[in-house]
Amino acid sequence: MLPTPADPQGASHTPVLLAECLEGLAVYPGGRYIDGTLGGGGHTEAILQRSAPDGKVLGLDADPAAIRRVEERLRAEIAQGRLLLAHTAFERMAAVAEQHAFAPVDGILLDLGLSSFQLETPERGFAFTHDGPLDMRFDPTRGESAADLLNRRDADEIADLIYRYGEERMSRRIARAIVENRPIVTTGQLAALVERAVGGRKGQRIHPATRTFQALRIAVNDELGQLERVLAQALDLLLPGGRLAVISFHSLEDRIVKVWMREEGKDYVPDPTSIYGGQEREPRLTVLTKRPLVASDEESARNPRSRSAKLRIAEKK
Ligand SMILES: C[S@@+](CC[C@H](N)C(=O)[O-])C[C@H]1O[C@@H](n2cnc3c(N)ncnc32)[C@H](O)[C@@H]1O
């Protein structure tokens, strides 16, 4: 990435669907926001600008390197007391907001998945395009790496997770090849092994290991569990009229967000044990995006990462 004046080291991550997020979160001067996925701080920086002079952001990230980078880059906003940072998984959002006396809030953003820094740093082990240790943890200070997972689980467990989280039809064959070639240590080793197991590339659009790598990353970071656990907390943390914006990058996480928003937006819950068939209730939110927002052609051309992004927005009642 070319250095820009605001980013002398060229260390920025281009925020996806930025205008749509600011609009969707209805960011206003003096508002209070939580960014659950700080990353390179691109969205946070824009929220701080739009909420100036006294708006505030609490930024969370499981990755200590992301926190350190934003600490450097947005030093002035931290010194002004407008930006607070916390190294934590976002499933602890409610507890962390309470610790910082930072609730209720006007808006919460989740821009799921991994950042370009993580993808482009070989030592983090996310990419099959750069050889490195097979790690894949957002937080390398805790938990089991992708290599540990593959070297410890049995073939059925590995096949199930590749099938479930990667939607990979050849999961059994891949799992068998993994178990036969253990220990698996590097990203390059795994990518080559998967490619051999599924019989090469044969004119495929994507690398044959893409789905296996996605599955492992989701499993290592318990991405779907984290998302399920944060949504309810986020709704509780919002003021009435506050907004929740979630950007997802694959169908498994988008489905969780879509179904949850739809359920919380219902004014009626079916109950098969009731003679009335169910009961009325107050919906807790209004879904503002009947269909998810996606990147324009212009953004997709400029930032390939935005091509699979889907943004859903809800407003708390
Ligand atoms: C796509 S990036 C966010 C980019 C950011 N919006 C920006 O504009 O620079 C996602 C970030 O969320 C973090 N992350 C993913 N899952 C997380 C979780 N469960 N808890 C905390 N951070 C998480 C990752 O470490 C990564 O830095």
PDB file of all heavy atoms in Angstrom, residues 13-16 35-44 60-63 66 88-91 109 111-115 117-118 138 221 223 226 249 305, ligand 1:
ATOM      1  N   HIS A  13      -5.490   0.289   6.967  1.00  0.00           N
ATOM      2  CA  HIS A  13      -6.349  -0.758   6.433  1.00  0.00           C
ATOM      3  C   HIS A  13      -7.528   0.021   5.868  1.00  0.00           C
ATOM      4  O   HIS A  13      -8.133   0.813   6.567  1.00  0.00           O
ATOM      5  CB  HIS A  13      -6.741  -1.649   7.614  1.00  0.00           C
ATOM      6  CG  HIS A  13      -7.909  -2.520   7.370  1.00  0.00           C
ATOM      7  ND1 HIS A  13      -7.803  -3.878   7.263  1.00  0.00           N
ATOM      8  CD2 HIS A  13      -9.218  -2.243   7.226  1.00  0.00           C
ATOM      9  CE1 HIS A  13      -8.982  -4.389   7.066  1.00  0.00           C
ATOM     10  NE2 HIS A  13      -9.867  -3.425   7.041  1.00  0.00           N
ATOM     11  N   THR A  14      -7.814  -0.144   4.572  1.00  0.00           N
ATOM     12  CA  THR A  14      -8.865   0.666   3.961  1.00  0.00           C
ATOM     13  C   THR A  14     -10.215   0.247   4.518  1.00  0.00           C
ATOM     14  O   THR A  14     -10.615  -0.910   4.335  1.00  0.00           O
ATOM     15  CB  THR A  14      -8.864   0.450   2.436  1.00  0.00           C
ATOM     16  OG1 THR A  14      -7.528   0.590   1.990  1.00  0.00           O
ATOM     17  CG2 THR A  14      -9.773   1.437   1.738  1.00  0.00           C
ATOM     18  N   PRO A  15     -10.901   1.146   5.219  1.00  0.00           N
ATOM     19  CA  PRO A  15     -12.174   0.718   5.818  1.00  0.00           C
ATOM     20  C   PRO A  15     -13.232   0.432   4.751  1.00  0.00           C
ATOM     21  O   PRO A  15     -13.343   1.158   3.772  1.00  0.00           O
ATOM     22  CB  PRO A  15     -12.583   1.891   6.707  1.00  0.00           C
ATOM     23  CG  PRO A  15     -11.678   3.001   6.385  1.00  0.00           C
ATOM     24  CD  PRO A  15     -10.531   2.508   5.565  1.00  0.00           C
ATOM     25  N   VAL A  16     -13.968  -0.628   4.971  1.00  0.00           N
ATOM     26  CA  VAL A  16     -14.969  -1.087   4.013  1.00  0.00           C
ATOM     27  C   VAL A  16     -16.304  -0.397   4.294  1.00  0.00           C
ATOM     28  O   VAL A  16     -16.661  -0.177   5.458  1.00  0.00           O
ATOM     29  CB  VAL A  16     -15.088  -2.633   4.161  1.00  0.00           C
ATOM     30  CG1 VAL A  16     -16.334  -3.170   3.522  1.00  0.00           C
ATOM     31  CG2 VAL A  16     -13.859  -3.297   3.570  1.00  0.00           C
ATOM     32  N   ASP A  35     -16.439   0.575  18.844  1.00  0.00           N
ATOM     33  CA  ASP A  35     -15.975  -0.160  17.670  1.00  0.00           C
ATOM     34  C   ASP A  35     -15.445  -1.488  18.210  1.00  0.00           C
ATOM     35  O   ASP A  35     -14.390  -1.531  18.845  1.00  0.00           O
ATOM     36  CB  ASP A  35     -14.872   0.647  16.963  1.00  0.00           C
ATOM     37  CG  ASP A  35     -14.377  -0.071  15.706  1.00  0.00           C
ATOM     38  OD1 ASP A  35     -14.722  -1.250  15.523  1.00  0.00           O
ATOM     39  OD2 ASP A  35     -13.654   0.574  14.920  1.00  0.00           O
ATOM     40  N   GLY A  36     -16.187  -2.557  17.987  1.00  0.00           N
ATOM     41  CA  GLY A  36     -15.827  -3.866  18.552  1.00  0.00           C
ATOM     42  C   GLY A  36     -14.681  -4.536  17.824  1.00  0.00           C
ATOM     43  O   GLY A  36     -14.117  -5.516  18.313  1.00  0.00           O
ATOM     44  N   THR A  37     -14.346  -4.020  16.644  1.00  0.00           N
ATOM     45  CA  THR A  37     -13.297  -4.619  15.810  1.00  0.00           C
ATOM     46  C   THR A  37     -12.404  -3.494  15.272  1.00  0.00           C
ATOM     47  O   THR A  37     -12.478  -3.137  14.097  1.00  0.00           O
ATOM     48  CB  THR A  37     -13.935  -5.387  14.627  1.00  0.00           C
ATOM     49  OG1 THR A  37     -14.899  -4.521  14.007  1.00  0.00           O
ATOM     50  CG2 THR A  37     -14.624  -6.656  15.068  1.00  0.00           C
ATOM     51  N   LEU A  38     -11.576  -2.984  16.147  1.00  0.00           N
ATOM     52  CA  LEU A  38     -10.768  -1.801  15.852  1.00  0.00           C
ATOM     53  C   LEU A  38      -9.886  -1.961  14.615  1.00  0.00           C
ATOM     54  O   LEU A  38      -9.814  -1.057  13.779  1.00  0.00           O
ATOM     55  CB  LEU A  38      -9.905  -1.520  17.080  1.00  0.00           C
ATOM     56  CG  LEU A  38      -9.027  -0.295  17.052  1.00  0.00           C
ATOM     57  CD1 LEU A  38      -9.875   0.959  17.149  1.00  0.00           C
ATOM     58  CD2 LEU A  38      -8.028  -0.353  18.206  1.00  0.00           C
ATOM     59  N   GLY A  39      -9.197  -3.084  14.481  1.00  0.00           N
ATOM     60  CA  GLY A  39      -8.319  -3.340  13.324  1.00  0.00           C
ATOM     61  C   GLY A  39      -7.302  -2.231  13.160  1.00  0.00           C
ATOM     62  O   GLY A  39      -6.591  -1.855  14.096  1.00  0.00           O
ATOM     63  N   GLY A  40      -7.240  -1.641  11.967  1.00  0.00           N
ATOM     64  CA  GLY A  40      -6.311  -0.534  11.708  1.00  0.00           C
ATOM     65  C   GLY A  40      -6.872   0.800  12.181  1.00  0.00           C
ATOM     66  O   GLY A  40      -6.230   1.843  12.009  1.00  0.00           O
ATOM     67  N   GLY A  41      -8.078   0.795  12.710  1.00  0.00           N
ATOM     68  CA  GLY A  41      -8.672   2.020  13.250  1.00  0.00           C
ATOM     69  C   GLY A  41      -9.289   2.913  12.183  1.00  0.00           C
ATOM     70  O   GLY A  41      -9.612   4.073  12.456  1.00  0.00           O
ATOM     71  N   GLY A  42      -9.474   2.405  10.974  1.00  0.00           N
ATOM     72  CA  GLY A  42     -10.021   3.224   9.894  1.00  0.00           C
ATOM     73  C   GLY A  42     -11.442   3.713  10.189  1.00  0.00           C
ATOM     74  O   GLY A  42     -11.722   4.916  10.084  1.00  0.00           O
ATOM     75  N   HIS A  43     -12.326   2.802  10.581  1.00  0.00           N
ATOM     76  CA  HIS A  43     -13.691   3.225  10.901  1.00  0.00           C
ATOM     77  C   HIS A  43     -13.688   4.124  12.130  1.00  0.00           C
ATOM     78  O   HIS A  43     -14.372   5.143  12.175  1.00  0.00           O
ATOM     79  CB  HIS A  43     -14.596   2.006  11.150  1.00  0.00           C
ATOM     80  CG  HIS A  43     -14.977   1.264   9.898  1.00  0.00           C
ATOM     81  ND1 HIS A  43     -14.302   0.150   9.483  1.00  0.00           N
ATOM     82  CD2 HIS A  43     -15.961   1.493   8.989  1.00  0.00           C
ATOM     83  CE1 HIS A  43     -14.858  -0.289   8.353  1.00  0.00           C
ATOM     84  NE2 HIS A  43     -15.860   0.514   8.032  1.00  0.00           N
ATOM     85  N   THR A  44     -12.908   3.731  13.138  1.00  0.00           N
ATOM     86  CA  THR A  44     -12.851   4.523  14.377  1.00  0.00           C
ATOM     87  C   THR A  44     -12.414   5.954  14.090  1.00  0.00           C
ATOM     88  O   THR A  44     -12.997   6.917  14.603  1.00  0.00           O
ATOM     89  CB  THR A  44     -11.888   3.843  15.384  1.00  0.00           C
ATOM     90  OG1 THR A  44     -12.621   2.798  16.021  1.00  0.00           O
ATOM     91  CG2 THR A  44     -11.367   4.783  16.433  1.00  0.00           C
ATOM     92  N   LEU A  60     -12.230  -1.892  20.630  1.00  0.00           N
ATOM     93  CA  LEU A  60     -11.784  -3.186  21.153  1.00  0.00           C
ATOM     94  C   LEU A  60     -11.108  -3.986  20.034  1.00  0.00           C
ATOM     95  O   LEU A  60     -11.534  -3.912  18.884  1.00  0.00           O
ATOM     96  CB  LEU A  60     -12.975  -4.029  21.639  1.00  0.00           C
ATOM     97  CG  LEU A  60     -14.090  -3.360  22.415  1.00  0.00           C
ATOM     98  CD1 LEU A  60     -15.166  -4.401  22.749  1.00  0.00           C
ATOM     99  CD2 LEU A  60     -13.550  -2.732  23.689  1.00  0.00           C
ATOM    100  N   ASP A  61     -10.108  -4.756  20.400  1.00  0.00           N
ATOM    101  CA  ASP A  61      -9.581  -5.738  19.451  1.00  0.00           C
ATOM    102  C   ASP A  61      -8.917  -6.865  20.236  1.00  0.00           C
ATOM    103  O   ASP A  61      -8.266  -6.628  21.255  1.00  0.00           O
ATOM    104  CB  ASP A  61      -8.574  -5.133  18.456  1.00  0.00           C
ATOM    105  CG  ASP A  61      -8.548  -5.912  17.143  1.00  0.00           C
ATOM    106  OD1 ASP A  61      -8.144  -7.097  17.159  1.00  0.00           O
ATOM    107  OD2 ASP A  61      -8.967  -5.361  16.109  1.00  0.00           O
ATOM    108  N   ALA A  62      -9.092  -8.074  19.724  1.00  0.00           N
ATOM    109  CA  ALA A  62      -8.463  -9.239  20.350  1.00  0.00           C
ATOM    110  C   ALA A  62      -6.969  -9.268  20.061  1.00  0.00           C
ATOM    111  O   ALA A  62      -6.214  -9.959  20.742  1.00  0.00           O
ATOM    112  CB  ALA A  62      -9.125 -10.507  19.817  1.00  0.00           C
ATOM    113  N   ASP A  63      -6.556  -8.510  19.046  1.00  0.00           N
ATOM    114  CA  ASP A  63      -5.176  -8.566  18.585  1.00  0.00           C
ATOM    115  C   ASP A  63      -4.363  -7.441  19.236  1.00  0.00           C
ATOM    116  O   ASP A  63      -4.583  -6.265  18.948  1.00  0.00           O
ATOM    117  CB  ASP A  63      -5.183  -8.406  17.056  1.00  0.00           C
ATOM    118  CG  ASP A  63      -3.794  -8.547  16.454  1.00  0.00           C
ATOM    119  OD1 ASP A  63      -2.802  -8.571  17.212  1.00  0.00           O
ATOM    120  OD2 ASP A  63      -3.721  -8.632  15.217  1.00  0.00           O
ATOM    121  N   ALA A  66      -2.945  -4.830  16.865  1.00  0.00           N
ATOM    122  CA  ALA A  66      -3.886  -3.820  16.350  1.00  0.00           C
ATOM    123  C   ALA A  66      -4.007  -2.675  17.361  1.00  0.00           C
ATOM    124  O   ALA A  66      -3.965  -1.496  16.997  1.00  0.00           O
ATOM    125  CB  ALA A  66      -5.255  -4.451  16.094  1.00  0.00           C
ATOM    126  N   THR A  88      -9.210  -6.924  24.016  1.00  0.00           N
ATOM    127  CA  THR A  88     -10.145  -7.953  24.482  1.00  0.00           C
ATOM    128  C   THR A  88     -10.940  -8.520  23.312  1.00  0.00           C
ATOM    129  O   THR A  88     -11.089  -7.863  22.287  1.00  0.00           O
ATOM    130  CB  THR A  88     -11.141  -7.350  25.504  1.00  0.00           C
ATOM    131  OG1 THR A  88     -12.036  -8.377  25.935  1.00  0.00           O
ATOM    132  CG2 THR A  88     -11.990  -6.240  24.917  1.00  0.00           C
ATOM    133  N   ALA A  89     -11.450  -9.718  23.506  1.00  0.00           N
ATOM    134  CA  ALA A  89     -12.404 -10.272  22.541  1.00  0.00           C
ATOM    135  C   ALA A  89     -13.717  -9.519  22.724  1.00  0.00           C
ATOM    136  O   ALA A  89     -14.072  -9.137  23.850  1.00  0.00           O
ATOM    137  CB  ALA A  89     -12.603 -11.753  22.805  1.00  0.00           C
ATOM    138  N   PHE A  90     -14.457  -9.332  21.638  1.00  0.00           N
ATOM    139  CA  PHE A  90     -15.674  -8.512  21.769  1.00  0.00           C
ATOM    140  C   PHE A  90     -16.800  -9.215  22.514  1.00  0.00           C
ATOM    141  O   PHE A  90     -17.785  -8.588  22.882  1.00  0.00           O
ATOM    142  CB  PHE A  90     -16.112  -7.893  20.443  1.00  0.00           C
ATOM    143  CG  PHE A  90     -16.402  -8.820  19.289  1.00  0.00           C
ATOM    144  CD1 PHE A  90     -17.310  -9.847  19.401  1.00  0.00           C
ATOM    145  CD2 PHE A  90     -15.786  -8.604  18.049  1.00  0.00           C
ATOM    146  CE1 PHE A  90     -17.596 -10.674  18.317  1.00  0.00           C
ATOM    147  CE2 PHE A  90     -16.055  -9.426  16.959  1.00  0.00           C
ATOM    148  CZ  PHE A  90     -16.966 -10.464  17.100  1.00  0.00           C
ATOM    149  N   GLU A  91     -16.646 -10.507  22.793  1.00  0.00           N
ATOM    150  CA  GLU A  91     -17.669 -11.159  23.619  1.00  0.00           C
ATOM    151  C   GLU A  91     -17.666 -10.579  25.040  1.00  0.00           C
ATOM    152  O   GLU A  91     -18.578 -10.811  25.817  1.00  0.00           O
ATOM    153  CB  GLU A  91     -17.465 -12.669  23.668  1.00  0.00           C
ATOM    154  CG  GLU A  91     -16.225 -13.093  24.398  1.00  0.00           C
ATOM    155  CD  GLU A  91     -16.081 -14.603  24.522  1.00  0.00           C
ATOM    156  OE1 GLU A  91     -17.051 -15.329  24.267  1.00  0.00           O
ATOM    157  OE2 GLU A  91     -14.974 -15.041  24.872  1.00  0.00           O
ATOM    158  N   LEU A 109     -20.275  -0.690  16.187  1.00  0.00           N
ATOM    159  CA  LEU A 109     -19.867  -1.231  14.893  1.00  0.00           C
ATOM    160  C   LEU A 109     -19.108  -2.536  15.087  1.00  0.00           C
ATOM    161  O   LEU A 109     -18.250  -2.638  15.969  1.00  0.00           O
ATOM    162  CB  LEU A 109     -18.927  -0.231  14.187  1.00  0.00           C
ATOM    163  CG  LEU A 109     -18.270  -0.734  12.904  1.00  0.00           C
ATOM    164  CD1 LEU A 109     -19.298  -0.966  11.798  1.00  0.00           C
ATOM    165  CD2 LEU A 109     -17.200   0.250  12.434  1.00  0.00           C
ATOM    166  N   ASP A 111     -16.989  -4.957  12.415  1.00  0.00           N
ATOM    167  CA  ASP A 111     -16.495  -5.171  11.048  1.00  0.00           C
ATOM    168  C   ASP A 111     -15.719  -6.480  11.146  1.00  0.00           C
ATOM    169  O   ASP A 111     -14.551  -6.494  11.507  1.00  0.00           O
ATOM    170  CB  ASP A 111     -15.607  -3.968  10.679  1.00  0.00           C
ATOM    171  CG  ASP A 111     -14.910  -4.133   9.345  1.00  0.00           C
ATOM    172  OD1 ASP A 111     -15.315  -4.984   8.551  1.00  0.00           O
ATOM    173  OD2 ASP A 111     -13.945  -3.372   9.112  1.00  0.00           O
ATOM    174  N   LEU A 112     -16.412  -7.579  10.890  1.00  0.00           N
ATOM    175  CA  LEU A 112     -15.929  -8.898  11.308  1.00  0.00           C
ATOM    176  C   LEU A 112     -14.739  -9.402  10.495  1.00  0.00           C
ATOM    177  O   LEU A 112     -14.418  -8.871   9.434  1.00  0.00           O
ATOM    178  CB  LEU A 112     -17.088  -9.895  11.211  1.00  0.00           C
ATOM    179  CG  LEU A 112     -18.295  -9.519  12.083  1.00  0.00           C
ATOM    180  CD1 LEU A 112     -19.501 -10.395  11.748  1.00  0.00           C
ATOM    181  CD2 LEU A 112     -17.955  -9.630  13.570  1.00  0.00           C
ATOM    182  N   GLY A 113     -14.140 -10.463  11.015  1.00  0.00           N
ATOM    183  CA  GLY A 113     -13.082 -11.142  10.272  1.00  0.00           C
ATOM    184  C   GLY A 113     -11.714 -10.589  10.560  1.00  0.00           C
ATOM    185  O   GLY A 113     -11.452 -10.104  11.660  1.00  0.00           O
ATOM    186  N   LEU A 114     -10.849 -10.674   9.555  1.00  0.00           N
ATOM    187  CA  LEU A 114      -9.459 -10.288   9.809  1.00  0.00           C
ATOM    188  C   LEU A 114      -9.092  -9.042   9.020  1.00  0.00           C
ATOM    189  O   LEU A 114      -9.763  -8.690   8.055  1.00  0.00           O
ATOM    190  CB  LEU A 114      -8.512 -11.444   9.501  1.00  0.00           C
ATOM    191  CG  LEU A 114      -8.132 -11.767   8.076  1.00  0.00           C
ATOM    192  CD1 LEU A 114      -6.997 -12.773   8.073  1.00  0.00           C
ATOM    193  CD2 LEU A 114      -9.296 -12.352   7.321  1.00  0.00           C
ATOM    194  N   SER A 115      -8.034  -8.386   9.477  1.00  0.00           N
ATOM    195  CA  SER A 115      -7.610  -7.139   8.831  1.00  0.00           C
ATOM    196  C   SER A 115      -6.560  -7.458   7.772  1.00  0.00           C
ATOM    197  O   SER A 115      -5.980  -8.546   7.758  1.00  0.00           O
ATOM    198  CB  SER A 115      -7.003  -6.194   9.868  1.00  0.00           C
ATOM    199  OG  SER A 115      -5.799  -6.738  10.361  1.00  0.00           O
ATOM    200  N   PHE A 117      -3.653  -6.231   7.726  1.00  0.00           N
ATOM    201  CA  PHE A 117      -2.346  -6.419   8.403  1.00  0.00           C
ATOM    202  C   PHE A 117      -2.160  -7.877   8.789  1.00  0.00           C
ATOM    203  O   PHE A 117      -1.105  -8.459   8.627  1.00  0.00           O
ATOM    204  CB  PHE A 117      -2.255  -5.619   9.700  1.00  0.00           C
ATOM    205  CG  PHE A 117      -2.561  -4.190   9.542  1.00  0.00           C
ATOM    206  CD1 PHE A 117      -3.718  -3.661  10.074  1.00  0.00           C
ATOM    207  CD2 PHE A 117      -1.698  -3.365   8.848  1.00  0.00           C
ATOM    208  CE1 PHE A 117      -4.012  -2.333   9.907  1.00  0.00           C
ATOM    209  CE2 PHE A 117      -1.990  -2.034   8.683  1.00  0.00           C
ATOM    210  CZ  PHE A 117      -3.149  -1.515   9.214  1.00  0.00           C
ATOM    211  N   GLN A 118      -3.231  -8.448   9.345  1.00  0.00           N
ATOM    212  CA  GLN A 118      -3.124  -9.842   9.785  1.00  0.00           C
ATOM    213  C   GLN A 118      -2.887 -10.748   8.574  1.00  0.00           C
ATOM    214  O   GLN A 118      -2.014 -11.602   8.587  1.00  0.00           O
ATOM    215  CB  GLN A 118      -4.407 -10.245  10.529  1.00  0.00           C
ATOM    216  CG  GLN A 118      -4.518  -9.544  11.874  1.00  0.00           C
ATOM    217  CD  GLN A 118      -5.914  -9.589  12.463  1.00  0.00           C
ATOM    218  OE1 GLN A 118      -6.912  -9.678  11.749  1.00  0.00           O
ATOM    219  NE2 GLN A 118      -5.996  -9.502  13.780  1.00  0.00           N
ATOM    220  N   PHE A 138      -6.489 -14.489  16.288  1.00  0.00           N
ATOM    221  CA  PHE A 138      -6.563 -13.030  16.365  1.00  0.00           C
ATOM    222  C   PHE A 138      -5.755 -12.582  17.574  1.00  0.00           C
ATOM    223  O   PHE A 138      -5.093 -11.563  17.551  1.00  0.00           O
ATOM    224  CB  PHE A 138      -8.008 -12.555  16.509  1.00  0.00           C
ATOM    225  CG  PHE A 138      -8.839 -12.754  15.269  1.00  0.00           C
ATOM    226  CD1 PHE A 138     -10.183 -13.096  15.356  1.00  0.00           C
ATOM    227  CD2 PHE A 138      -8.284 -12.592  14.015  1.00  0.00           C
ATOM    228  CE1 PHE A 138     -10.948 -13.266  14.214  1.00  0.00           C
ATOM    229  CE2 PHE A 138      -9.034 -12.760  12.864  1.00  0.00           C
ATOM    230  CZ  PHE A 138     -10.376 -13.096  12.970  1.00  0.00           C
ATOM    231  N   ASN A 221     -10.745 -19.121  16.187  1.00  0.00           N
ATOM    232  CA  ASN A 221     -11.166 -17.894  16.883  1.00  0.00           C
ATOM    233  C   ASN A 221     -12.596 -17.959  17.390  1.00  0.00           C
ATOM    234  O   ASN A 221     -13.107 -16.952  17.884  1.00  0.00           O
ATOM    235  CB  ASN A 221     -10.981 -16.700  15.944  1.00  0.00           C
ATOM    236  CG  ASN A 221      -9.519 -16.482  15.606  1.00  0.00           C
ATOM    237  OD1 ASN A 221      -8.736 -16.115  16.479  1.00  0.00           O
ATOM    238  ND2 ASN A 221      -9.138 -16.777  14.373  1.00  0.00           N
ATOM    239  N   GLU A 223     -15.287 -17.788  15.861  1.00  0.00           N
ATOM    240  CA  GLU A 223     -15.861 -16.550  15.320  1.00  0.00           C
ATOM    241  C   GLU A 223     -17.388 -16.520  15.396  1.00  0.00           C
ATOM    242  O   GLU A 223     -17.979 -15.489  15.695  1.00  0.00           O
ATOM    243  CB  GLU A 223     -15.397 -16.342  13.874  1.00  0.00           C
ATOM    244  CG  GLU A 223     -13.931 -15.990  13.806  1.00  0.00           C
ATOM    245  CD  GLU A 223     -13.449 -15.728  12.385  1.00  0.00           C
ATOM    246  OE1 GLU A 223     -14.166 -15.110  11.594  1.00  0.00           O
ATOM    247  OE2 GLU A 223     -12.324 -16.162  12.078  1.00  0.00           O
ATOM    248  N   GLN A 226     -18.470 -16.133  19.095  1.00  0.00           N
ATOM    249  CA  GLN A 226     -18.218 -14.753  19.544  1.00  0.00           C
ATOM    250  C   GLN A 226     -19.325 -13.832  19.044  1.00  0.00           C
ATOM    251  O   GLN A 226     -19.827 -12.990  19.783  1.00  0.00           O
ATOM    252  CB  GLN A 226     -16.885 -14.253  18.968  1.00  0.00           C
ATOM    253  CG  GLN A 226     -15.664 -14.809  19.630  1.00  0.00           C
ATOM    254  CD  GLN A 226     -15.221 -13.971  20.814  1.00  0.00           C
ATOM    255  OE1 GLN A 226     -15.543 -12.798  20.921  1.00  0.00           O
ATOM    256  NE2 GLN A 226     -14.504 -14.579  21.719  1.00  0.00           N
ATOM    257  N   PHE A 249     -18.430 -11.032   6.187  1.00  0.00           N
ATOM    258  CA  PHE A 249     -17.708 -11.359   4.946  1.00  0.00           C
ATOM    259  C   PHE A 249     -17.972 -12.766   4.435  1.00  0.00           C
ATOM    260  O   PHE A 249     -17.406 -13.168   3.453  1.00  0.00           O
ATOM    261  CB  PHE A 249     -16.195 -11.150   5.142  1.00  0.00           C
ATOM    262  CG  PHE A 249     -15.848  -9.700   5.285  1.00  0.00           C
ATOM    263  CD1 PHE A 249     -15.872  -9.083   6.515  1.00  0.00           C
ATOM    264  CD2 PHE A 249     -15.554  -8.943   4.160  1.00  0.00           C
ATOM    265  CE1 PHE A 249     -15.580  -7.738   6.643  1.00  0.00           C
ATOM    266  CE2 PHE A 249     -15.253  -7.596   4.281  1.00  0.00           C
ATOM    267  CZ  PHE A 249     -15.271  -6.994   5.523  1.00  0.00           C
ATOM    268  N   ARG A 305     -11.214  -6.347  -1.054  1.00  0.00           N
ATOM    269  CA  ARG A 305     -11.742  -6.919   0.196  1.00  0.00           C
ATOM    270  C   ARG A 305     -13.223  -6.596   0.398  1.00  0.00           C
ATOM    271  O   ARG A 305     -13.941  -7.297   1.096  1.00  0.00           O
ATOM    272  CB  ARG A 305     -10.924  -6.333   1.360  1.00  0.00           C
ATOM    273  CG  ARG A 305     -10.735  -7.264   2.526  1.00  0.00           C
ATOM    274  CD  ARG A 305      -9.908  -6.582   3.600  1.00  0.00           C
ATOM    275  NE  ARG A 305     -10.707  -5.676   4.398  1.00  0.00           N
ATOM    276  CZ  ARG A 305     -11.507  -6.064   5.369  1.00  0.00           C
ATOM    277  NH1 ARG A 305     -11.637  -7.330   5.670  1.00  0.00           N
ATOM    278  NH2 ARG A 305     -12.199  -5.177   6.045  1.00  0.00           N
TER     279      ARG A 305
HETATM  280  C1  LIG B   1     -11.803  -6.371   9.416  1.00  0.00           C
HETATM  281  S1  LIG B   1     -10.787  -5.902  10.723  1.00  0.00           S
HETATM  282  C2  LIG B   1     -11.429  -4.359  11.230  1.00  0.00           C
HETATM  283  C3  LIG B   1     -10.913  -3.210  10.410  1.00  0.00           C
HETATM  284  C4  LIG B   1     -11.325  -1.844  10.921  1.00  0.00           C
HETATM  285  N1  LIG B   1     -12.751  -1.639  10.848  1.00  0.00           N
HETATM  286  C5  LIG B   1     -10.598  -0.737  10.188  1.00  0.00           C
HETATM  287  O1  LIG B   1     -11.253   0.116   9.570  1.00  0.00           O
HETATM  288  O2  LIG B   1      -9.367  -0.707  10.222  1.00  0.00           O
HETATM  289  C6  LIG B   1     -11.315  -6.938  12.004  1.00  0.00           C
HETATM  290  C7  LIG B   1     -10.555  -6.802  13.310  1.00  0.00           C
HETATM  291  O3  LIG B   1     -11.386  -7.373  14.316  1.00  0.00           O
HETATM  292  C8  LIG B   1     -10.617  -8.147  15.182  1.00  0.00           C
HETATM  293  N2  LIG B   1     -11.502  -9.191  15.692  1.00  0.00           N
HETATM  294  C9  LIG B   1     -12.085 -10.191  15.005  1.00  0.00           C
HETATM  295  N3  LIG B   1     -12.848 -10.927  15.831  1.00  0.00           N
HETATM  296  C10 LIG B   1     -12.757 -10.362  17.059  1.00  0.00           C
HETATM  297  C11 LIG B   1     -13.327 -10.652  18.321  1.00  0.00           C
HETATM  298  N4  LIG B   1     -14.132 -11.695  18.504  1.00  0.00           N
HETATM  299  N5  LIG B   1     -13.032  -9.843  19.347  1.00  0.00           N
HETATM  300  C12 LIG B   1     -12.212  -8.768  19.182  1.00  0.00           C
HETATM  301  N6  LIG B   1     -11.627  -8.460  18.015  1.00  0.00           N
HETATM  302  C13 LIG B   1     -11.900  -9.242  16.971  1.00  0.00           C
HETATM  303  C14 LIG B   1      -9.469  -8.681  14.360  1.00  0.00           C
HETATM  304  O4  LIG B   1      -8.352  -8.913  15.188  1.00  0.00           O
HETATM  305  C15 LIG B   1      -9.238  -7.526  13.361  1.00  0.00           C
HETATM  306  O5  LIG B   1      -8.239  -6.660  13.834  1.00  0.00           O
END
